[in-house]
Amino acid sequence: MLIPAYRQLIRRAKSEKKQVTTWPPGAISALQDCFEHTDWDIFREAATSDDSINLEEYTDSVTGYISKCIEDVTVSKTITTRPNQKPWMTAEVRVLLRSRDKAFKSGDRAGLRTARAKLSRGIREAKRTYTKKIHAHFQDTTDTRRMWQGIQTITNYKSPPPACNSDASLPDALNSFYARFEAQNYTTAWKTTPPPNDQVLCLSSADVRKTLLRVNPRKAPGPDSIPGRVLRGCAEQLTDVLTDIFNISLSTAIVPTCFKTTTIVPVPKKSQVSCLNDYRPIALTPIIMKCFEKLVMRHIKNQLPSSLDPLQFAYRPNRSTDDAISTALHLALTHLDNKDCYVRMLFIDFSSAFNTIIPQHLIGKLSLLGLNSSLCNWVLDFLTERPQSVRIGNNTSSTTILSTEGCVLSPLLFTLLTHDCTAKYSSNHIIKFADDTTVVGLISKNDESAYREEVQWLTDWCRTNNLSLNVDKTKEMVVDFRRAPGVHHPLNINGSAVEIVKNTEFLGVHIAENLTWSLNTSSITKKAQQRLYFLRRLRKAHLPPPILTMFYRGTVESILSTCITVWFGNCNTSDRKTLQRIVRTAEKIIGVSLPSIAEIYTTRCIRKATSIVDDPTHPSHGLFGLMPSGRRYRSIRASTTRFCNSFIHQAVRLLNAQRQN
């Protein structure tokens, strides 16, 4: 017997029931009124014993009270989502469907005809209502978020991620997998005694209020179930009590356990999951703690010297991946202009870099950077004894106590941990963007001794700082334009040979050993053409040109201009025509004139060069030197076309042309 291969979607996937919380009109106003008349001193007094405040009890009672008030003003209900559910389906249409089915089963032909007619009218009305709802997203052109919601509804631009396995044992397995680096931490955390003149950080109510008002109300809440909309809507009423909790935490160097608790929600990296490493951990921490971390992070950044680790391009103002790539390429091209020279570039990959930090080692480095003892003790308490659990649907794993995990402060703390990871030889340079580390070795006369010693030193440094090198994903590329290049032997790291590749992806840009950009252009073109499909769908929906242009600039032009200052100058004519063809296609779809790819490149180059000139701390600032006349910037000598067309040379020419005009 033949069985059809196709099965209906409703039979392939089961319907799901979800518990959702709805906010009736006036809920936030009711919370504001409730918190306005709350005597918060009662919670502090209840947690005080012998002039000592129990911060754990104080925080738990305050957050518990806020959660209880939220439960009182919200409504919880269970909804059923079906795989074939239409977006225009309403409760009225479902009632009409049940009436039709009832009439059909009863055999009442007249009633069935009437029910069918009513159902048809109800469906038409539901579709008209849904259409008006979608069109309402585009009435206010200043509300970009609402417009993007309408665009995503029409195009289905962002598809939902694949669902996780429903196996009840998976959360515990993932929790153990994410905590695997904890076994490598043998160092006991201990706090130092602050000196008598140590100045404790004290947060002001104005700063706390400003941070609460900037909370994104659409972010998922943490384990405390306090949503961002409450913190933002009730910022005036909650500022004083939260400021008091934050300052007590800073003065005692104790972070409440409820603030450190984390729930991990794994998201599959791809549709077919083959191992635990194919799940990306998404950490949900209390939003109150995120606000606290932002305030502390701002203070730490203000305490750091501006010249700290100039080749770390992440989490610093006026730095981006463009700067990191252009700096690495400028070093390579400058060296390749000399005789009998070549460049070796090592692209290092770390295994879960943010989760391998040993808190006690980090605190020692923070002290050397000038942070006072009380703040170092607070950071140490913040990074240790952190409860973590994994949640998949209705299944939750057991709780594990960890030392470090993803949080707002993690990226900054990682950059401070690696600030002393700098090149020991002048012929080598270590370019960093967060945990993406690249070693640029400038080799002359086939002498690789300094480069290989640098890599060995870096390997030892990683071992000392508990950073695990993933040698399988670490790649090396050799750029050698000599007429008779020799044999390049691979590096050996931890007993494994590093693969030498002809091209690789460097901070989102495909770079080749011959420093051409055809592979990068083809990758960009493919992504942009996929997004043109969504632009055509919006055109069929009869959206006006301004909205189509906004979609183009946000989804297509942003792809075409990714790190454009780095690679467009050295693109060949064929690649430029390919990119411009996409712009012309978008112009035909939208019906308006759009900036050409060359115009985008010129604008971005001038903007980037101006920001570098205005920033004395930028690593490339010294390359923009004025002539004695003060009217023009000095050009750098270049003997090859590829160096002459690189970003620095192009930027100098554009700035000089702008000054003449």
Side-chain angles (χ1 to χ4, degrees):
M1 180 178 180
L2 297 178
I3 300 176
Y6 172 77
R7 293 182 65 198
Q8 295 178 352
L9 182 62
I10 193 171
R11 297 184 182 275
R12 280 183 284 154
K14 297 181 180 179
S15 59
E16 295 182 0
K17 291 187 176 182
K18 296 181 180 179
Q19 192 77 17
V20 297
T21 301
T22 59
W23 291 77
I28 293 296
S29 300
L31 282 177
Q32 290 174 348
D33 184 66
C34 176
F35 295 150
E36 186 72 35
H37 294 85
T38 299
D39 186 4
W40 298 104
D41 293 334
I42 296 178
F43 300 96
R44 181 187 175 106
E45 294 172 358
T48 304
S49 177
D50 298 331
D51 296 331
S52 177
I53 300 177
N54 188 332
L55 185 60
E56 292 283 354
E57 181 182 348
Y58 184 20
T59 308
D60 287 340
S61 59
V62 169
T63 55
Y65 174 75
I66 295 174
S67 300
K68 179 62 172 63
C69 293
I70 293 174
E71 293 177 3
D72 293 340
V73 300
T74 56
V75 178
S76 297
K77 62 180 182 179
T78 303
I79 62 172
T80 302
T81 58
R82 298 173 178 83
N84 65 337
Q85 183 169 313
K86 305 299 181 182
W88 44 262
M89 181 64 68
T90 61
E92 291 78 8
V93 174
R94 290 195 183 94
V95 171
L96 295 175
L97 278 170
R98 287 193 289 268
S99 299
R100 183 204 61 181
D101 295 342
K102 184 178 180 181
F104 176 78
K105 292 178 181 179
S106 64
D108 184 3
R109 294 188 176 184
L112 180 59
R113 285 195 297 270
T114 303
R116 284 177 173 174
K118 290 182 178 180
L119 178 61
S120 298
R121 287 194 296 269
I123 290 176
R124 287 196 298 269
E125 182 62 29
K127 288 182 177 180
R128 281 194 294 267
T129 304
Y130 179 72
T131 302
K132 291 179 182 179
K133 178 182 177 181
I134 297 301
H135 288 170
H137 285 79
F138 306 102
Q139 292 179 355
D140 185 5
T141 56
T142 60
D143 190 353
T144 56
R145 175 179 173 267
R146 188 167 172 80
M147 291 176 65
W148 273 106
Q149 286 179 341
I151 289 172
Q152 290 174 4
T153 303
I154 294 174
T155 62
N156 194 24
Y157 177 64
K158 286 189 176 181
S159 57
C164 292
N165 192 338
S166 58
D167 186 2
S169 62
L170 182 60
D172 285 307
L174 283 173
N175 199 24
S176 300
F177 176 73
Y178 295 145
R180 66 190 184 278
F181 295 103
E182 187 67 18
Q184 302 176 10
N185 184 6
Y186 302 104
T187 306
T188 304
W190 54 275
K191 299 178 182 179
T192 59
T193 304
N197 58 347
D198 193 65
Q199 188 174 2
V200 179
L201 172 62
C202 184
L203 302 175
S204 65
S205 299
D207 291 338
V208 174
R209 183 183 300 106
K210 187 183 299 183
T211 304
L212 293 177
L213 290 173
R214 292 178 178 174
V215 169
N216 187 347
R218 296 176 297 277
K219 290 293 184 181
D224 59 357
S225 301
I226 299 178
R229 64 189 303 172
V230 173
L231 298 176
R232 182 170 180 171
C234 304
E236 293 291 337
Q237 293 76 23
L238 297 176
T239 293
D240 292 337
V241 64
L242 292 182
T243 303
D244 188 39
I245 291 175
F246 294 168
N247 286 328
I248 294 174
S249 175
L250 290 169
S251 61
T252 58
I254 296 175
V255 180
T257 303
C258 63
F259 281 1
K260 297 191 289 185
T261 304
T262 302
T263 299
I264 302 293
V265 178
V267 176
K269 299 178 183 178
K270 48 190 179 181
S271 57
Q272 296 295 331
V273 175
S274 58
C275 61
L276 295 178
N277 198 35
D278 290 339
Y279 289 97
R280 178 177 288 107
I282 306 299
L284 299 181
T285 56
I287 300 179
I288 296 177
M289 189 62 212
K290 290 181 180 179
C291 297
F292 195 4
E293 291 179 67
K294 289 178 182 178
L295 293 166
V296 175
M297 181 170 62
R298 190 182 311 157
H299 174 76
I300 293 177
K301 286 183 176 180
N302 293 334
Q303 299 295 315
L304 298 175
S306 58
S307 59
L308 177 67
D309 197 4
L311 294 183
Q312 172 60 268
F313 292 89
Y315 318 115
R316 303 184 67 178
N318 195 27
R319 305 287 194 277
S320 64
T321 54
D322 300 50
D323 300 281
I325 301 171
S326 62
T327 300
L329 289 178
H330 180 76
L331 292 170
L333 291 171
T334 303
H335 183 68
L336 291 170
D337 254 20
N338 303 321
K339 292 183 179 180
D340 197 16
C341 294
Y342 62 96
V343 176
R344 298 189 71 149
M345 305 178 72
L346 180 66
F347 304 93
I348 296 175
D349 183 84
F350 294 109
S351 297
S352 300
F354 294 163
N355 295 330
T356 59
I357 298 176
I358 296 179
Q360 196 64 46
H361 292 179
L362 173 64
I363 297 306
K365 295 189 178 185
L366 294 181
S367 300
L368 295 176
L369 289 174
L371 271 66
N372 56 30
S373 299
S374 59
L375 186 56
C376 288
N377 289 337
W378 184 90
V379 173
L380 182 62
D381 191 87
F382 168 74
L383 293 176
T384 54
E385 300 295 323
R386 300 178 63 89
Q388 171 186 292
S389 60
V390 175
R391 187 185 71 209
I392 301 178
N394 296 325
N395 300 322
T396 304
S397 70
S398 57
T399 302
T400 304
I401 306 299
L402 302 179
S403 293
T404 57
E405 58 190 27
C407 53
V408 174
L409 278 174
S410 291
L412 174 63
L413 296 178
F414 182 81
T415 60
L416 298 181
L417 176 73
T418 60
H419 82 277
D420 57 346
C421 180
T422 55
K424 301 303 178 185
Y425 296 92
S426 59
S427 60
N428 301 319
H429 302 272
I430 300 179
I431 310 295
K432 290 175 285 187
F433 192 90
D435 61 333
D436 289 308
T437 305
T438 305
V439 181
V440 181
L442 311 179
I443 314 299
S444 301
K445 299 179 180 180
N446 292 321
D447 183 11
E448 298 182 353
S449 57
Y451 172 70
R452 292 183 177 274
E453 289 179 12
E454 191 80 61
V455 174
Q456 183 58 47
W457 175 88
L458 180 60
T459 304
D460 296 337
W461 182 93
C462 292
R463 188 180 300 109
T464 303
N465 290 272
N466 199 39
L467 291 177
S468 177
L469 286 173
N470 190 341
V471 183
D472 293 335
K473 292 186 178 180
T474 298
K475 307 297 179 183
E476 187 184 24
M477 190 174 68
V478 181
V479 184
D480 192 350
F481 294 112
R482 295 178 298 174
R483 293 184 179 179
V487 178
H488 302 291
H489 299 285
L491 290 170
N492 191 285
I493 298 179
N494 297 333
S496 302
V498 178
E499 181 184 3
I500 298 179
V501 296
K502 295 184 178 297
N503 56 75
T504 187
E505 190 173 2
F506 179 31
L507 296 177
V509 173
H510 292 272
I511 182 172
E513 62 178 0
N514 57 1
L515 299 185
T516 57
W517 302 99
S518 297
L519 179 62
N520 184 68
T521 303
S522 62
S523 174
I524 290 175
T525 303
K526 182 179 179 181
K527 293 179 182 178
Q529 288 174 342
Q530 291 172 346
R531 284 156 177 76
L532 287 178
Y533 163 75
F534 298 107
L535 188 63
R536 292 187 179 96
R537 289 191 61 178
L538 291 176
R539 181 63 179 175
K540 289 182 178 179
H542 306 291
L543 293 184
I547 295 177
L548 296 177
T549 304
M550 184 191 69
F551 181 82
Y552 163 80
R553 299 200 65 180
T555 60
V556 181
E557 186 181 288
S558 61
I559 295 294
L560 297 175
S561 59
T562 300
C563 297
I564 192 173
T565 58
V566 174
W567 50 265
F568 187 79
N570 274 309
C571 270
N572 56 39
T573 304
S574 175
D575 292 337
R576 296 191 181 198
K577 288 182 179 179
T578 302
L579 295 170
Q580 185 58 35
R581 196 177 298 120
I582 294 177
V583 178
R584 289 200 302 267
T585 303
E587 287 179 336
K588 293 178 182 178
I589 297 173
I590 300 174
V592 298
S593 179
L594 298 171
S596 67
I597 193 71
E599 292 172 347
I600 296 173
Y601 170 70
T602 302
T603 304
R604 297 288 180 91
C605 267
I606 295 176
R607 185 192 308 166
K608 174 62 67 176
T610 304
S611 65
I612 294 175
V613 170
D614 295 338
D615 185 4
T617 64
H618 197 284
S620 301
H621 177 77
L623 301 175
F624 294 87
L626 287 171
M627 300 282 284
S629 63
R631 298 178 181 178
R632 293 174 57 86
Y633 289 98
R634 189 185 303 275
S635 298
I636 303 174
R637 184 178 179 180
S639 58
T640 59
T641 304
R642 73 175 65 89
F643 192 22
C644 190
N645 290 334
S646 63
F647 164 67
I648 297 297
H649 291 77
Q650 295 276 26
V652 169
R653 285 194 288 270
L654 290 172
L655 288 180
N656 288 335
Q658 191 181 49
R659 280 174 167 259
Q660 289 179 355
N661 298 333

